[in-house]
Every structure is written in structure tokens, then in C-alpha cells.
Amino acid sequence: MATRSTIMDTNSFRAEHAAGLDDDVRKLTDKRSRVLGESYRLFYRKPVHLVRGEGQYLWDAAGEKYLDAYNNVASIGHCHPAVIDAVYQQMQQLNTHTRYLHERILDYSEALLSTLPGEIDRAMYMCTGSEANDLAIRVARAFSGGTGIIVSQEAYHGTSDLTSGVSPALGSGQPLATTTRLVSPPDRYRVTSPDLGDWFANEIQRQIDDMAAHGIKFAGFLADSIFSSDGVLPGPKGFLQKAIEVVHNNGGIFIADEVQPGFARTGEAFWGFARHGVVPDIVTTGKPMGNGIPVSGLLAKSDVLAAFSDDIPYFNTFGGNPVAMAAAQAVLQVIKEEQLQEHSRVVGEKLLKELLTLKEKYECVGDVRGAGLFIGFELVKDKSSKTPDKQLALDVTEKLRENRVLTSVAGPYGNVLKLRPPLAFQESDIDWLVGALDNSLRAVLR
């Protein structure tokens, strides 16, 4: 396996970059360090001071316009008027916790559950994906009687004590739990096995066996179905089926972390896991759910959830509040009314096709892969060796920022550009994105 990297320190501003900043930006970075402490990270060697957003575009303090090619927080577009109105209207009426009756949480739950397989029939709400995954691990352990959790090599699932212990992408400074096992990612670009599904299922079984050898009972497999932090690995549709069979045959459950691939992002299905024809035992979601309003959810099979919920009351002060539910309802309605799943599929296919022309043009573009508006653009030393080129990826990311396109990197080697724009991204934006990437590659390589 590769050396553990960190999503926090890749593509980030560091103190040594401060000398190159203008006075206004330097004052802000200094103030951040003084009042927020040293754990926070900024993107880019020259951080971007954003002041406004609309749809797929952002503007900085100097009035410069940027194309957002990274953001799945404002998933349906920055400052979407439907979300603004829904939040405003509900905020004028009531905002409180879930220990009083209110229609919004019930109406939204029915609408959200209708997008899932029928076996998944219960919903619980939190504020962040970290909280959702934290609860999912607790449920998995209650249901299985085990403690062992398997995640992919570069997975990111949250920042709580439980979830940081299953998030190797946070880096070597963050210890993993002793009950965590890492499985090599299903990287079709690098794995030579003729059947990726068989190979990945065997990798899962190998880690379950290792747990057993160390006296750890297996509880579950927690995965983002497009393996975003591992470098955006959609794989062939259906390849996850054999791995999930192994999980169930060994008494564990499958937790689908849909914070990144969910809510129409992959185009081929509303949920990322649905591309593979599998039914998770638990689904977790977060960022795209409220388009910037903090709301997250855990959706589960009733019998799986019962192992936890029949014995332990759960309360989250802000989770499921009427304002958050209003935002979430608006997002779901916009996805349907604006047909954003089909939009993601069609525009994503066109974007992928154009990006593939750069693969033909440049020896350093090793692979371009994706589903819908979620694409990984992998940079290497050369096509024959497939040696990852992290420095090139970082330099291209910085050059893209100069060309007013915002994105970042992913993968265990930090050499994959993660192209994940808001679903408001249009066919007319493809020229800007691909042209800027072409110009950036040419400039850096020169």
C-alpha cells in the first residue's frame, strides 16, 4: 500500500507562501492563524478570498469570476433561490428540535425514503456527515456484536473520535482505531486482475480474516461507492456486488457513505451505490442534502436499526430541525423539477469526452474516469510507468486557480484532480474548464 497521505495538507496554504501574498490577503491569513489556531487549512498557495456565489460561479473580493469545479456542498448551485426562500419562510415561523411534532421532518422523510430501495425504511437526522457515520458505526456494532470496521486505503468518513479512527485520509498524525482495517482501493487503472469484482471481494475477505486472527469480530464495511478520496474510482457498474456478499456472509453490514456520490451526482442513479445493484444496510449522507445548510441523515433497514434504537434513545439538538428540513425539501424538489440527475448524466458524459482529448494530447495524463459530474483526472510521469506525479498535479491545480477554475486533488498519491462541480454546471461551461486545464498543463509542462 502507498504511504498514508492527507487530504488536509495537500493543496494547502503554508506559512512559507505568505511572502507572495498581497497585503489584504496577508492580513486575513495572519488573522486566521491568530484567532482560529493551527488546525485549519486553506486551499492554494495564494488563498482565494470569496465573497459571493451564484450557481456554478464564485466571485472574489476583487470582483474576479471563478468556475467552481469542486463543490458538492452547494450541490444544486450556490445561493439557489428555492433553498433561500424555503429557509427564509420557515425561519419566520419556527425552528426548534425534534421532540415536538412537526410535519416537515415526516414529509421529507417519506420523500427521501421513496428514492431508496424499499428495504431501507427508517430515517434519522444529524447536522454533519461525521455525525451520520459515527452513528452508523454504533448501529453496525450493535447489530453485529462486533467492533471491526473495514474502509478503503484513503477513505475519509469524518472528524469525530469514531469516524477519524476510520479516516486514513486525515493523515499519519491521526491514528486509526485498532479495530480498523484498510482495504486496497478498487483502482481499475492500476489493478491488473481481469475481474475487479472478484479481486475486491478477496481483498475484503483478507481483511476480515486478519481481524479474526487478532481476535476482532467484524462489524461492517464503510465505503463511499465512488471511492472519492481514493482518487475517484467509479469502476464498472456492478463490481461491488461480490464484495457486499462477502460482507454479509461474514455477519457484517454494508454502510454506504453517500455524502459525495449521492443526490444525483453520478447521473446514472440518484444514489452512488445504486450503480452497482446493491442494497446497503445503512446509507449516510450530509453535505449536498441541504445545499449549504447543515443537515445530514442516516437511512437504514428497520431490523438493522432496531438493534440500536430499541435500546438506546437518540437525540440531536439541531438534527432534523424545521429550517434544515425546509432546505432539504427544497433541494430534493429542485433535483426533480430541474431533472438534475439526467442533467448530470448528459453533461457529465460530454465533459468526460472532452477531457479524454487531453489524455490523448498529453503523455502525463494517465487516466480520466468518472460517472456523471464526478470525474477523476490522473496525472503521471508517463503512461507506460503510471508513476504518480503529485507535484505536477499540485502545480496544475495552482495554475487552474490562476485561470479562475477551482478544484483540488485526491488519491493516495495526491495526483488526481477531483472534478466535481455543482450540478448547476452547464454544457457551456465545458470549454472554460477543459480550456483552462489544457492551458494549465501546457504552461506547467513548459
Side-chain angles (χ1 to χ4, degrees):
M1 285 189 181
T3 302
R4 284 174 58 197
S5 66
T6 166
I7 58 170
M8 297 300 292
D9 283 318
T10 308
N11 180 26
S12 67
F13 170 76
R14 294 180 178 83
E16 60 263 31
H17 301 143
L21 304 181
D22 63 45
D23 289 344
D24 289 341
V25 173
R26 176 70 178 270
K27 286 177 183 176
L28 286 176
T29 60
D30 288 348
K31 189 172 184 178
R32 271 178 65 104
S33 179
R34 188 169 69 253
V35 303
L36 298 181
E38 300 307 318
S39 284
Y40 285 92
R41 298 291 187 272
L42 284 161
F43 278 141
Y44 303 110
R45 297 164 196 159
K46 291 185 177 181
V48 186
H49 179 193
L50 297 175
V51 297
R52 186 166 71 88
E54 182 180 336
Q56 64 276 40
Y57 305 121
L58 294 160
W59 285 263
D60 67 14
E64 293 286 350
K65 182 180 179 181
Y66 294 78
L67 176 64
D68 186 351
Y70 188 70
N71 210 314
N72 79 322
V73 178
S75 184
I76 59 172
H78 294 278
C79 301
H80 197 291
V83 178
I84 293 170
D85 184 61
V87 168
Y88 174 72
Q89 296 297 333
Q90 184 58 52
M91 199 70 183
Q92 291 187 105
Q93 298 170 25
L94 175 72
N95 196 27
T96 186
H97 53 70
T98 55
R99 295 190 71 180
Y100 303 107
L101 290 172
H102 199 273
E103 294 86 356
R104 276 204 188 275
I105 192 170
L106 304 177
D107 294 343
Y108 177 69
S109 296
E110 287 182 336
L112 186 61
L113 289 168
S114 73
T115 67
L116 289 151
E119 299 95 318
I120 300 172
D121 57 356
R122 296 288 187 275
M124 297 178 72
Y125 297 100
M126 308 86 210
C127 302
T128 66
S130 296
E131 290 178 295
N133 284 327
D134 188 292
L135 181 58
I137 292 170
R138 294 173 66 190
V139 173
R141 289 175 171 175
F143 180 78
S144 66
T147 57
I149 301 293
I150 294 174
V151 296
S152 57
Q153 178 186 315
E154 192 69 10
Y156 171 70
H157 295 295
T159 56
S160 70
D161 186 39
L162 274 183
T163 57
S164 62
V166 294
S167 294
L170 290 174
S172 54
Q174 170 61 55
L176 296 177
T178 57
T179 52
T180 297
R181 292 295 182 274
L182 305 184
V183 65
S184 298
D187 184 352
R188 188 163 56 167
Y189 177 56
R190 298 180 183 280
V191 173
T192 57
S193 173
D195 190 316
L196 190 66
D198 282 337
W199 176 87
F200 194 56
N202 289 334
E203 291 291 302
I204 295 283
Q205 186 64 63
R206 195 159 62 85
Q207 296 305 324
I208 294 172
D209 293 343
D210 183 72
M211 284 182 180
H214 288 84
I216 300 168
K217 185 175 181 182
F218 175 53
F221 172 48
L222 169 58
D224 154 3
S225 57
I226 202 165
F227 297 89
S228 315
S229 298
D230 291 281
V232 188
L233 308 173
K237 287 188 281 188
F239 87 88
L240 275 180
Q241 290 176 5
K242 293 174 182 176
I244 305 311
E245 287 176 12
V246 167
V247 168
H248 288 148
N249 290 342
N250 284 271
I253 68 169
F254 171 41
I255 305 165
D257 180 342
E258 289 287 318
V259 171
Q260 297 199 60
F263 283 84
R265 168 63 57 182
T266 67
E268 296 168 2
F270 189 88
W271 299 102
F273 67 79
R275 295 179 62 245
H276 299 291
V278 297
V279 178
D281 301 286
I282 295 176
V283 175
T284 57
T285 186
K287 288 191 275 278
M289 198 171 170
N291 210 56
I293 296 295
V295 57
S296 66
L298 179 148
L299 311 156
K301 295 176 179 177
S302 54
D303 62 324
V304 172
L305 189 59
F308 174 88
S309 61
D310 284 1
D311 296 321
I312 303 175
Y314 181 82
F315 177 64
N316 185 309
T317 302
F318 298 107
N321 72 73
V323 168
M325 291 293 94
Q329 282 180 306
V331 168
L332 206 56
Q333 186 173 352
V334 166
I335 289 173
K336 291 177 180 177
E337 289 181 354
E338 298 185 8
Q339 299 181 307
L340 292 183
Q341 182 182 321
E342 178 65 5
H343 172 82
S344 180
R345 185 188 68 80
V346 171
V347 177
E349 284 180 359
K350 291 178 179 178
L351 174 59
L352 186 65
K353 182 179 179 181
E354 292 300 316
L355 290 169
L356 284 167
T357 64
L358 299 183
K359 180 183 175 183
E360 298 303 313
K361 184 175 181 179
Y362 293 99
E363 177 66 16
C364 63
V365 181
D367 195 32
V368 183
R369 58 204 174 236
L373 285 170
F374 208 149
I375 294 171
F377 190 88
E378 179 154 358
L379 296 172
V380 295
K381 298 289 186 182
D382 58 79
K383 286 183 168 67
S384 58
S385 71
K386 299 185 181 180
T387 303
D389 198 333
K390 178 179 180 178
Q391 190 58 53
L392 176 61
L394 291 174
D395 289 344
V396 168
T397 300
E398 295 289 341
K399 190 61 68 174
L400 279 169
R401 176 236 185 277
E402 292 178 20
N403 281 281
R404 306 293 184 259
V405 173
L406 303 180
T407 191
S408 193
V409 294
Y413 313 103
N415 68 314
V416 180
L417 302 187
K418 184 194 278 189
L419 304 177
R420 183 193 54 183
L423 301 184
F425 183 91
Q426 300 295 320
E427 187 176 344
S428 56
D429 296 311
I430 293 175
D431 283 350
W432 185 355
L433 174 53
V434 177
L437 188 48
D438 190 5
N439 291 337
S440 299
L441 282 165
R442 189 164 60 249
V444 171
L445 292 171
R446 190 186 311 124

